[in-house]
Amino acid sequence: MKKIILLHLFAAMVFSAAAQLKVHHLLTENKPNPLGVDAAQPRFSWQLDAGNRRNVLQTAYELVIQTDDGQPVWRTGKMATPQSVLVPFKGPALASGKRYNWQVRVWDNAGNASDWSEPSFWQMGLLKPSDWKAQWIEPGFAEEATRPSPLLRKEFSIAKKLKRATAYITAHGLYEAYLNGSRIGDAYFTPGWTSYNKRLQYQAYDVTGQLQQGANAVGAALASGWYRGNLAWGGNRDIYGKDIALLMQLQLEFEDGTTEQIVTDGSWKSSTGAIRSSEIYHGEKVDARLDQPGWNKPGFNDASWTGVKTAANAKEVLVATYNEPIRKKETFAPVKIFTTPKGEQVIDFGQNLVGWAEVKVRGASGQQIILSHAEVLDKAGNFYITNLRAANSRDTFILKGGGEEVLAPTFTWHGFRYLKVEGYPGTLNKDDFEAVALYSDMPVAGKFTSSNELINQLQHNIEWGQRGNFLDVPTDCPQRDERLGWTGDAQVFSRTAMFNMNVHSFFTKWMQDVSADQIDGAVPFVVPNVLGAGSVASAGWADAATIIPWNMYLAYGDTGILQQQYGSMKAWVEHMRRKSKNDLWNTGFHFGDWLFYRPDDDNDGRAAVTDKYLVAQCFYAHSTQLLINAAKVLGKKADVLQYTALLQKIKDAFRKEYMTPSGRLVSGTQTAYVLALQFDMLPEALRKGATERLAENVKSYGTHLTTGFLGTPYLCEVLSRNGQADVAFALLLREQYPSWLFPVKMGATTIWERWDGQKPDSSFQTPGMNSFNHYAYGAIGDWMYRTVAGLDTEEDGPGYKHIRMKPLTGGNFNHIAATLQTYYGPVTSGWKREEANFNMDVVIPANTQASVFIPAPSVNAVREGGLALSQNGAIKVIGFHNGYVQVKIGSGSYQFTATGSGTATTSAKR
Ligand code: BGC
């Protein structure tokens, strides 16, 4: 009897252990079930769910791939490897337009096997130009000067039973497409922005549900967008061409195995409708009286429409979309409707956001309503748009009349918090107005909270800076006549961006445009480059080419991005090498430490001017270092040797030119010392002194920062890593100008371009350069996550395969918690101070390991889950060093408590 019970128990244990290993969260090329994949070897990722078991590692996996009609494609067999992220497909060549299903099962280090996962799928895109049977088409009528949005349509009929229909669409300009009157997909501003002449993305949509047997109609509206609208300054437009065009292919697969294509060709018709003009900078004009109801449905009488012109536009440049589409995201109701001192009617949505307003209205035909957009009110409380420069950020609507109408633009967006409403019939009612945020729909990755509400608001502002400016490309600002892919801004913010959202696909796409637009290796100021061949190679801007891929490798463990970008990284370093003399890169134009601190009345020279060539030499070294790092990962031994030798020469040249023998730099600024320390420009022996000089410099200003775009991202990091954490916390927590919290105290809901966009007396900085939604200074988010919350990855296990968790206490915080969704699952590092106790909550996902550093007076002072560490089999104690107990743990949730660490050292060398 006893034996039987034991057997049962054993069986139950085996069963429950097996039940505790599941595999889920399947991704193909970082996306769940993507359509339109053109990677020849798509990469698969999955997560292990091991319930609350600890120390779970994958020991093997098996993948099986079939066509969606069940034909076997590839089976890996049991692969004895821990790899669960970005596992490449190595089966036979994949076919254009085909859908494939895949499943995975895994084994773990406790001998468990999972069941097969739920199936996941991906669908290939159109892989060769010849797969496009569609022809480019342009409207057939002569265009008016205001460039109304053309409408294009065609009817067709379906006789057989449909199994699946896929629409492949792109445009010169922007498009919005319809089937039988309903919009195709939920993506906006398609096809997005790339270096169009070299790479033009198309989108793939599953439209099976939008078609019907019998009569069908397909239609599309076009607009100028980035392709030929106003872009950059001085009325610059038609950058990529004068004519907009559509390319669309509807691929129909029938139940009987046959296929058919409905394509853009000379049989389509064209006209215009309600959208009379549309510009990214200058808003939209919509005359609803000119709407053509039913134009995108079957049975519409298009006898008065013109034909179309086919165009011989390139198809060789077509590529599948890699990044997430722009979608409608949060909506905001008015928090206040008021009349300004000037007598204007204004709505406050409470958040500076990027998108548009949607307005319900009833009025007479011909009634004109104008919606203008502003980020801020001026000192007197009036609607302020001078900082938008030449951007005429307003939408004009002429009502059709005869019932409720919903007003919203289609092909433009605005950066705004305040909406000025003119011509609205009747009083403004809160329920009739809504602000809609639109941005690239990247998965949310991180969450950061603390006991300090101002810091929480700062984190909110950083996130909203990202939401507003990650609009298919990383832009500097979303509101004025700029909105360009400034490379410097993108690189300084990139690591922070990776904490807030999963930007893997977003940057993978943009980095290809960086490569595509390099000129003789030189990286443009903006990508896509719309400023011309002379606007390239500024230090700290061009280094986006090396910094972002390396950051992505660390955050996502993706060696593919290094492979993809290696040529570009190397070309950039080689460009600097060619421009250097005796290993000193001191030529050419540089933005330098853009927007650094400079007081108005600078009698005793407090402006923090850093020598631009000193900055350039630091970035030359840094990019070379990152190239070496990438070469090591990719096994390019000759390059490692070659560039290591070059790096030494670059540093020697730096020391000779910009440093005295005792380590004083020619520019005594914070940025000079920060860059020199961060990029290891100084001999080891002189670093301590340099950090002291940096800390003294900060204190000489009454403890405030003076850094611009280039110094700011590393300022606190350099201080805390070199034993000056108190100074770093003082900078973070300072509330007066200049500081991160000054805008917060002034009511900011996003990051400002300048430390004093709005001055302490509420007046504004010069309007020529004063955006209130500019993420660069939000780069402090990286330090908050990685150093203060202590959530980091080891370089030898990038992508959080080997987690490093070392919180930095101080700054009067009682509590800080950060969670990050990694490819392995969520990682949490949270700590709380309770009287003399320090509690640390840690979550480590399955198939990873972590080095955790617990602030504590000794090993014996630390318990986990109530047990002493020595009694805790799941935890390996490494030792005690500099105020931290270091342990090594596997996956699972852990609650560490350290007694007597109420006064944990804040200035410990990390
Ligand atoms: C942009 C930037 C950019 C800078 C270059 C500005 O107009 O808004 O953020 O990096 O120019 O100096």
Side-chain angles (χ1 to χ4, degrees):
M1 181 66 184
K2 214 170 165 190
K3 229 178 177 172
I4 292 174
I5 292 176
L6 269 177
L7 260 176
H8 273 299
L9 215 87
F10 181 70
M13 274 168 62
V14 170
F15 178 75
S16 74
Q20 280 173 18
L21 186 64
K22 287 190 199 132
V23 58
H24 64 157
H25 211 270
L26 275 58
L27 300 175
T28 311
E29 286 296 321
N30 328 320
K31 290 162 285 267
N33 303 327
L35 298 187
V37 172
D38 64 3
Q41 298 187 321
R43 296 164 304 165
F44 309 111
S45 306
W46 56 85
Q47 289 178 15
L48 275 58
D49 173 1
N52 50 18
R53 283 193 296 131
R54 284 181 170 177
N55 277 323
V56 177
L57 292 170
Q58 175 187 299
T59 52
Y61 71 78
E62 181 172 16
L63 280 174
V64 59
I65 288 138
Q66 300 184 326
T67 61
D68 71 330
D69 42 15
Q71 299 303 311
V73 175
W74 188 51
R75 191 170 185 133
T76 59
K78 186 172 173 181
M79 304 293 288
T81 159
Q83 194 181 358
S84 59
V85 172
L86 298 168
V87 175
F89 174 82
K90 294 253 171 77
L94 298 163
S96 249
K98 258 229 171 291
R99 189 177 283 209
Y100 298 90
N101 291 329
W102 67 282
Q103 282 174 285
V104 57
R105 61 175 168 170
V106 298
W107 288 261
D108 74 15
N109 52 339
N112 302 299
S114 75
D115 288 334
W116 285 105
S117 68
E118 290 292 314
S120 187
F121 72 84
W122 83 95
Q123 188 169 318
M124 297 303 284
L126 299 183
L127 303 178
K128 304 185 293 298
S130 61
D131 292 331
W132 286 90
K133 306 299 173 211
Q135 291 175 280
W136 281 100
I137 58 169
E138 294 168 0
F141 51 82
E143 192 171 50
E144 289 169 40
T146 55
R147 294 179 157 179
S149 168
L151 305 177
L152 301 159
R153 77 181 303 275
K154 177 181 172 79
E155 293 198 22
F156 58 97
S157 86
I158 294 181
K160 292 192 268 187
K161 231 175 160 236
L162 201 61
K163 178 184 162 205
R164 171 171 311 128
T166 308
Y168 299 95
I169 318 176
T170 190
H172 283 179
L174 302 175
Y175 74 84
E176 189 164 275
Y178 302 84
L179 274 172
N180 297 327
S182 68
R183 193 180 195 281
I184 296 181
D186 54 1
Y188 288 82
F189 311 127
T190 46
W193 192 13
T194 46
S195 305
Y196 290 138
N197 298 333
K198 300 155 194 160
R199 303 183 345 101
L200 172 60
Q201 297 200 138
Y202 62 86
Q203 285 73 46
Y205 306 91
D206 187 335
V207 292
T208 319
Q210 286 176 268
L211 291 166
Q212 57 200 19
Q213 267 188 314
N216 289 273
V218 54
L222 299 178
S224 303
W226 295 284
Y227 187 83
R228 64 163 198 185
N230 280 111
L231 215 48
W233 312 287
N236 199 3
R237 63 179 196 167
D238 296 342
I239 290 182
Y240 298 96
K242 280 197 164 53
D243 300 308
I244 49 178
L246 176 71
L247 183 73
M248 176 165 181
Q249 181 155 321
L250 253 181
Q251 192 79 28
L252 310 179
E253 298 170 57
F254 299 106
E255 291 283 1
D256 67 2
T258 59
T259 61
E260 194 184 325
Q261 286 151 344
I262 308 297
V263 297
T264 42
D265 60 18
S267 68
W268 286 50
K269 292 270 196 99
S270 61
S271 182
T272 61
I275 301 176
R276 303 317 296 167
S277 70
S278 190
E279 283 283 344
I280 291 173
Y281 294 161
H282 306 309
E284 205 158 278
K285 183 164 185 188
V286 182
D287 186 343
R289 297 170 304 181
L290 299 176
D291 189 20
Q292 303 205 44
W295 71 273
N296 48 21
K297 291 186 180 157
F300 175 79
N301 180 359
D302 62 13
S304 65
W305 285 40
T306 327
V308 295
K309 290 185 279 198
T310 56
N313 301 336
K315 292 182 186 165
E316 292 69 29
V317 296
L318 297 173
V319 291
T321 299
Y322 196 83
N323 57 327
E324 293 86 2
I326 295 166
R327 291 200 174 96
K328 286 188 177 180
K329 301 291 291 179
E330 297 81 356
T331 57
F332 293 84
V335 294
K336 198 171 142 198
I337 297 181
F338 59 101
T339 305
T340 65
K342 274 195 185 156
E344 295 172 327
Q345 292 228 285
V346 172
I347 299 177
D348 176 4
F349 287 100
Q351 173 64 49
N352 193 2
L353 64 103
V354 176
W356 57 52
E358 293 191 355
V359 176
K360 285 189 244 155
V361 61
R362 283 168 186 277
S365 177
Q367 169 96 33
Q368 177 169 285
I369 296 169
I370 300 175
L371 305 178
S372 306
H373 304 76
E375 294 183 290
V376 284
L377 301 177
D378 70 12
K379 201 170 170 172
N382 285 313
F383 196 73
Y384 179 80
I385 53 167
T386 322
N387 68 324
L388 306 185
R389 306 194 307 212
N392 186 7
S393 204
R394 62 181 190 183
D395 298 327
T396 304
F397 300 93
I398 299 172
L399 301 186
K400 181 185 283 186
E404 184 176 284
E405 294 173 57
V406 179
L407 316 179
T410 306
F411 294 117
T412 190
W413 68 89
H414 310 281
F416 70 107
R417 168 174 169 168
Y418 299 95
L419 187 74
K420 181 171 88 179
V421 185
E422 293 168 279
Y424 192 87
T427 47
L428 307 189
N429 182 341
K430 275 191 183 180
D431 298 337
D432 293 329
F433 292 85
E434 187 171 71
V436 183
L438 288 115
Y439 53 89
S440 288
D441 193 9
M442 305 155 287
V444 171
K447 188 173 157 63
F448 179 99
T449 52
S450 77
S451 51
N452 182 325
E453 282 310 321
L454 294 176
I455 293 296
N456 295 345
Q457 181 67 36
L458 173 65
Q459 172 61 23
H460 169 101
N461 296 1
I462 295 170
E463 288 173 15
W464 274 93
Q466 184 166 354
R467 291 192 177 113
N469 284 295
F470 276 46
L471 200 109
D472 210 59
V473 303
T475 62
D476 58 328
C477 61
Q479 73 296 76
R480 67 184 180 214
D481 54 340
E482 190 139 5
R483 314 186 197 187
L484 303 177
W486 280 96
T487 45
D489 306 48
Q491 75 79 3
V492 303
F493 187 65
S494 59
R495 195 79 198 259
T496 300
M498 290 169 202
F499 278 108
N500 295 328
M501 295 178 196
N502 183 325
V503 294
H504 192 175
S505 301
F506 180 86
F507 273 132
T508 300
K509 172 245 184 191
W510 186 70
M511 290 313 301
Q512 293 179 64
D513 293 305
V514 170
S515 312
D517 276 354
Q518 271 169 275
I519 300 169
D520 188 25
V523 180
F525 300 164
V526 300
V527 171
N529 183 9
V530 292
L531 299 182
S535 300
V536 296
S538 171
W541 270 251
D543 303 278
T546 51
I547 293 172
I548 298 178
W550 183 251
N551 282 344
M552 290 171 74
Y553 169 72
L554 294 177
Y556 303 119
D558 182 4
T559 50
I561 191 69
L562 297 181
Q563 256 147 18
Q564 176 188 297
Q565 296 303 128
Y566 191 78
S568 150
M569 297 169 83
K570 189 165 163 174
W572 169 233
V573 170
E574 283 300 324
H575 180 90
M576 289 185 279
R577 172 157 38 189
R578 279 196 300 282
K579 296 284 169 194
S580 304
K581 250 202 204 123
N582 300 326
D583 303 302
L584 208 55
W585 183 33
N586 56 0
T587 53
F589 167 83
H590 299 280
F591 290 111
D593 190 27
W594 190 248
L595 297 183
F596 56 85
Y597 172 77
R598 55 196 150 135
D600 282 344
D601 205 6
D602 196 16
N603 297 330
D604 65 343
R606 303 306 284 157
V609 186
T610 309
D611 185 293
K612 288 186 179 180
Y613 292 136
L614 177 152
V615 170
Q617 191 73 0
C618 288
F619 277 94
Y620 182 20
H622 186 47
S623 274
T624 306
Q625 177 67 65
L626 298 182
L627 181 64
I628 296 166
N629 295 357
K632 279 187 188 156
V633 172
L634 299 176
K636 296 181 186 293
K637 296 208 180 97
D639 280 4
V640 173
L641 288 177
Q642 189 205 153
Y643 290 106
T644 305
L646 174 64
L647 180 58
Q648 194 51 53
K649 291 199 236 160
I650 296 170
K651 290 184 183 177
D652 290 345
F654 175 89
R655 291 167 192 170
K656 220 165 112 195
E657 184 77 8
Y658 301 113
M659 193 190 88
T660 65
S662 67
R664 186 176 294 278
L665 299 177
V666 296
S667 302
T669 59
Q670 293 173 20
T671 290
Y673 285 101
V674 164
L675 295 181
L677 284 160
Q678 177 73 12
F679 300 156
D680 284 338
M681 304 303 285
L682 306 174
E684 181 77 51
L686 296 179
R687 288 187 196 155
K688 189 163 176 280
T691 314
E692 279 158 12
R693 284 200 180 98
L694 170 60
E696 274 161 27
N697 180 298
V698 170
K699 287 176 191 157
S700 77
Y701 286 92
T703 312
H704 78 63
L705 52 73
T706 63
T707 48
F709 275 27
L710 298 183
T712 300
Y714 311 115
L715 173 60
C716 286
E717 175 58 24
V718 161
L719 287 164
S720 62
R721 186 154 27 93
N722 292 292
Q724 300 280 354
D726 289 339
V727 181
F729 275 117
L731 291 176
L732 176 70
L733 296 173
R734 180 185 164 94
E735 296 177 14
Q736 306 83 1
Y737 164 77
S739 68
W740 284 281
L741 293 185
F742 169 67
V744 169
K745 293 285 275 190
M746 294 291 282
T749 59
T750 37
I751 299 294
W752 296 351
E753 178 172 24
R754 313 178 75 117
W755 297 117
D756 58 349
Q758 188 160 21
K759 297 182 188 177
D761 69 359
S762 288
S763 65
F764 291 123
Q765 255 288 1
T766 89
M769 192 66 68
N770 201 19
S771 144
F772 289 93
N773 198 354
H774 226 83
Y775 50 59
Y777 289 146
I780 187 65
D782 174 38
W783 187 70
M784 287 157 55
Y785 268 102
R786 205 143 58 93
T787 304
V788 180
L791 201 166
D792 201 357
T793 183
E794 299 278 12
E795 290 197 10
D796 70 357
Y800 303 89
K801 175 78 176 146
H802 295 162
I803 295 159
R804 179 184 166 87
M805 212 173 262
K806 188 173 187 183
L808 182 67
T809 61
N812 282 335
F813 285 98
N814 289 321
H815 149 246
I816 283 184
T819 293
L820 182 70
Q821 303 294 332
T822 71
Y823 281 129
Y824 299 93
V827 181
T828 297
S829 171
W831 59 262
K832 205 183 229 145
R833 204 185 282 292
E834 274 169 350
E835 291 165 11
N837 284 354
F838 182 83
N839 299 327
M840 202 168 149
D841 284 344
V842 171
V843 179
I844 305 297
N847 205 23
T848 69
Q849 287 174 312
S851 288
V852 179
F853 297 74
I854 305 142
S858 68
V859 174
N860 289 338
V862 180
R863 299 175 88 79
E864 193 282 320
L867 295 177
L869 295 184
S870 54
Q871 296 172 314
N872 209 318
I875 296 168
K876 186 166 169 215
V877 177
I878 305 293
F880 175 78
H881 188 62
N882 259 339
Y884 287 93
V885 171
Q886 184 186 353
V887 298
K888 189 138 197 196
I889 56 176
S891 66
S893 299
Y894 299 81
Q895 280 88 38
F896 294 99
T897 308
T899 31
S901 34
T903 53
T905 164
T906 59
S907 263
K909 232 182 172 225
R910 290 167 52 79

